[in-house]
Amino acid sequence: MKVITAISIMSGAVLIACASKPTAESIQKEQLKAEELRNEAEAAKTKKRQSQNEGFIEGIPAWALQPPRPDAEGLYAVGVAESASLNVSQKKSMLDAEFGLAKQYRQEISGSERSFTQERNDRSLASQYTQLIDKLVARVSVVGFEVVKQEVKSVNGTFHSWILLKLRLVSGICG
């Protein structure tokens, strides 16, 4: 009787061990299911990010996306900034716009190109191309500009600031 009980217990243990051991097919099905869930989650994340970006773009003032072109009266520049601090956001956008005015008023551009090719012992080639363009702004006084428009919004917990500046042109200073 003890022998039969022992055999029954061992048989049951073998069956349980075999039943709980995953097969290659079940592992593959689980991996495919997990990959599908990851893809769905990534697609949902991308869709949410796209929706947030579209909402943000809709909130940008039209004048910040299409600032006035320079005219006989003066130059225009838009400054854009983002910060956790309202004050810092406004200061950064002002500085960005002032630099934009200076850049339009007196800007120099320089550049360089480099090409490098190296042959290894196994006759394989390694090549690299580099292009560098520098925009240099000469010292320019941008005193006398005026704030045409300014807007600040809170988006996702940070302050976004836009400012439109105008620098009036006085005859004789452009020379």
Side-chain angles (χ1 to χ4, degrees), residues 25-101:
E25 185 178 325
S26 68
I27 292 172
Q28 187 177 19
K29 284 181 184 179
E30 289 298 319
Q31 286 176 340
L32 288 173
K33 187 175 182 179
E35 183 68 28
E36 187 177 314
L37 290 173
R38 275 193 294 273
N39 289 341
E40 288 173 7
E42 186 63 33
K45 185 177 173 182
T46 300
K47 186 176 180 180
K48 181 180 177 184
R49 189 171 39 239
Q50 179 68 22
S51 177
Q52 287 175 335
N53 288 347
E54 287 173 1
F56 178 77
I57 289 170
E58 288 174 8
I60 296 174
W63 53 264
L65 294 173
Q66 298 260 329
R69 297 188 54 76
D71 55 27
E73 291 186 25
L75 304 172
Y76 298 86
V78 172
V80 179
E82 170 188 1
S83 176
S85 164
L86 173 62
N87 189 31
V88 172
S89 174
Q90 289 179 305
K91 286 181 179 181
K92 284 170 55 176
S93 66
M94 179 66 80
L95 187 60
D96 187 36
E98 289 173 5
F99 182 72
L101 289 174

Side-chain angles (χ1 to χ4, degrees), residues 145-161:
F145 62 82
E146 65 182 89
V147 175
V148 178
K149 294 181 181 181
Q150 185 173 9
E151 195 166 323
V152 178
K153 293 183 181 181
S154 178
V155 180
N156 295 327
T158 60
F159 294 100
H160 293 258
S161 180

Side-chain angles (χ1 to χ4, degrees), residues 76-154:
Y76 298 86
V78 172
V80 179
E82 170 188 1
S83 176
S85 164
L86 173 62
N87 189 31
V88 172
S89 174
Q90 289 179 305
K91 286 181 179 181
K92 284 170 55 176
S93 66
M94 179 66 80
L95 187 60
D96 187 36
E98 289 173 5
F99 182 72
L101 289 174
K103 197 166 72 170
Q104 288 182 61
Y105 190 67
R106 188 172 294 160
Q107 174 177 251
E108 298 173 12
I109 297 178
S110 68
S112 67
E113 287 183 297
R114 289 184 178 177
S115 181
F116 172 78
T117 305
Q118 180 180 24
E119 183 177 7
R120 297 186 188 126
N121 288 341
D122 64 354
R123 302 273 188 221
S124 64
L125 295 177
S127 63
Q128 177 182 342
Y129 173 79
T130 305
Q131 181 181 33
L132 173 67
I133 299 174
D134 289 319
K135 287 185 178 183
L136 306 171
V137 177
R139 187 174 292 236
V140 176
S141 174
V142 289
V143 176
F145 62 82
E146 65 182 89
V147 175
V148 178
K149 294 181 181 181
Q150 185 173 9
E151 195 166 323
V152 178
K153 293 183 181 181
S154 178

